[in-house]
Amino acid sequence: MSSAAITKPTLMQSLLGRNYKWWYIGLFTIKQNFNYFWDEIFTSFYRFVYLIGLITLGTHNNDNPSFVKYLLIGSVFYACTESFIVWQLGEEIKSGKIINVLLKPVNYITYNAVIGLFKCVNVFFSYLPWMAILFFIYKPNLIEDIRNIWVFILFYLISWFIRMMFDFIFAFGAFWFTEYQGLSYLDYNGASFLSGSLFPLVYLSNNPLLIYNPFAFTFYHPMQIYLGKYDFNQTLMVFAGGITWCIALYFLAKWVFKMGLKRNEAVGL
């Protein structure tokens, strides 16, 4: 074999080594989903219309200037954790195509988690045009304490992981039910409601336990950090709570997946 036939590894291949496969899967996911970019933009238009109505109603009855900032910046953050992979996984299980992934020499949850993470890139860019219009209309003051901003960014992986695990858990319901779409809508709408993305959770109930639900760590708590509502100790407690939910949901997702596979094997699938 001539030396010309040997391709030199790229910088990314050299840096990642055997883990380069995850980077390759991620880039392929982004390229594949950008084929549906305009469809995603039209789909995300509902969020634009909804936020206009919510901000109009909220500012009419609320003199707090941080309300607009809470909704706009929080919605951008929330979009970055939104992969919608629950629909893909549910369809794979329903159609039996899950076997195509199970035959690959990779962990099923890790493989789809990487795909979900990179799909968030496409979802974020589909939301961006509408959010840019809203930022232009309402012109919120975006500058906050730089320390809060960095903590806010670091919290992203916790928020993303919690949403991803719920996507897995609800999608795995397709092992037991004829259809998965009802569970997928329950996952999406339940996350929106309980996360505080529709309105701050403190407006919903005086019950303090509500703010400790896992979805609250995907919108409500990150925005409290960003807006400087939490002191150092409260921020540490939020990180501890988020990490605890990540661990619990991960093992729950693995258990549900294992039980689902056993059920399929029992009926000969």
Side-chain angles (χ1 to χ4, degrees):
M1 181 181 296
S2 65
S3 59
I6 301 176
T7 59
K8 295 179 63 176
T10 64
L11 176 61
M12 192 61 69
Q13 286 175 316
S14 301
L15 290 174
L16 297 178
R18 295 178 62 183
N19 291 317
Y20 177 75
K21 61 185 177 183
W22 302 118
W23 179 251
Y24 179 84
I25 291 170
L27 292 182
F28 177 78
T29 299
I30 292 176
K31 292 178 182 178
Q32 183 184 49
N33 282 273
F34 263 117
N35 292 326
Y36 308 96
F37 181 67
W38 286 106
D39 181 65
E40 292 287 350
I41 285 183
F42 296 141
T43 302
S44 63
F45 179 70
Y46 79 93
R47 184 70 179 176
F48 170 74
V49 175
Y50 175 79
L51 281 174
I52 287 182
L54 189 61
I55 291 172
T56 301
L57 179 63
T59 53
H60 179 72
N61 297 290
N62 187 353
D63 294 329
N64 187 355
S66 66
F67 181 75
V68 173
K69 193 183 305 183
Y70 172 88
L71 289 175
L72 292 185
I73 298 176
S75 293
V76 173
F77 179 86
Y78 196 64
C80 292
T81 67
E82 201 165 64
S83 68
F84 294 110
I85 200 170
V86 61
W87 307 92
Q88 175 185 323
L89 299 181
E91 180 60 31
E92 285 181 355
I93 296 170
K94 176 186 175 181
S95 64
K97 292 181 179 179
I98 185 176
I99 191 64
N100 296 331
V101 182
L102 294 177
L103 290 174
K104 295 178 180 179
V106 293
N107 179 276
Y108 182 81
I109 290 181
T110 303
Y111 174 79
N112 283 292
V114 171
I115 291 177
L117 179 60
F118 281 86
K119 286 184 79 170
C120 290
V121 176
N122 299 84
V123 175
F124 167 72
F125 279 105
S126 71
Y127 274 72
L128 200 57
W130 307 121
M131 299 309 300
I133 294 173
L134 289 174
F135 276 97
F136 178 78
I137 293 173
Y138 295 103
K139 298 180 175 64
N141 176 23
L142 301 181
I143 305 300
E144 295 288 343
D145 187 330
I146 190 66
R147 293 169 297 181
N148 293 337
I149 294 174
W150 281 113
V151 174
F152 175 73
I153 294 173
L154 288 173
F155 204 84
Y156 167 75
L157 285 178
I158 293 177
S159 301
W160 165 79
F161 193 84
I162 288 174
R163 293 203 68 187
M164 184 61 57
M165 290 303 103
F166 270 109
D167 276 4
F168 281 125
I169 292 168
F170 279 90
F172 294 158
F175 284 120
W176 286 271
F177 301 100
T178 305
E179 188 55 76
Y180 65 91
Q181 293 191 20
L183 286 170
S184 300
Y185 279 116
L186 179 62
D187 176 34
Y188 178 75
N189 293 323
S192 297
F193 184 73
L194 292 174
S195 67
S197 67
L198 304 182
F199 42 76
L201 291 178
V202 292
Y203 294 170
L204 183 63
S205 171
N206 292 323
N207 185 355
L209 292 178
L210 187 65
I211 65 173
Y212 297 112
N213 85 82
F215 291 114
F217 293 86
T218 67
F219 192 110
Y220 177 77
H221 290 303
M223 283 310 302
Q224 301 310 302
I225 293 173
Y226 180 83
L227 295 171
K229 304 291 187 181
Y230 290 160
D231 60 26
F232 179 75
N233 290 332
Q234 287 174 310
T235 300
L236 284 181
M237 291 299 294
V238 168
F239 266 91
I243 292 172
T244 300
W245 274 118
C246 286
I247 295 172
L249 291 170
Y250 172 72
F251 284 106
L252 178 59
K254 286 189 65 175
W255 180 79
V256 174
F257 181 59
K258 182 179 179 180
M259 293 299 102
L261 287 180
K262 282 187 175 181
R263 182 181 184 277
N264 272 17
E265 292 170 359
V267 295
L269 296 179

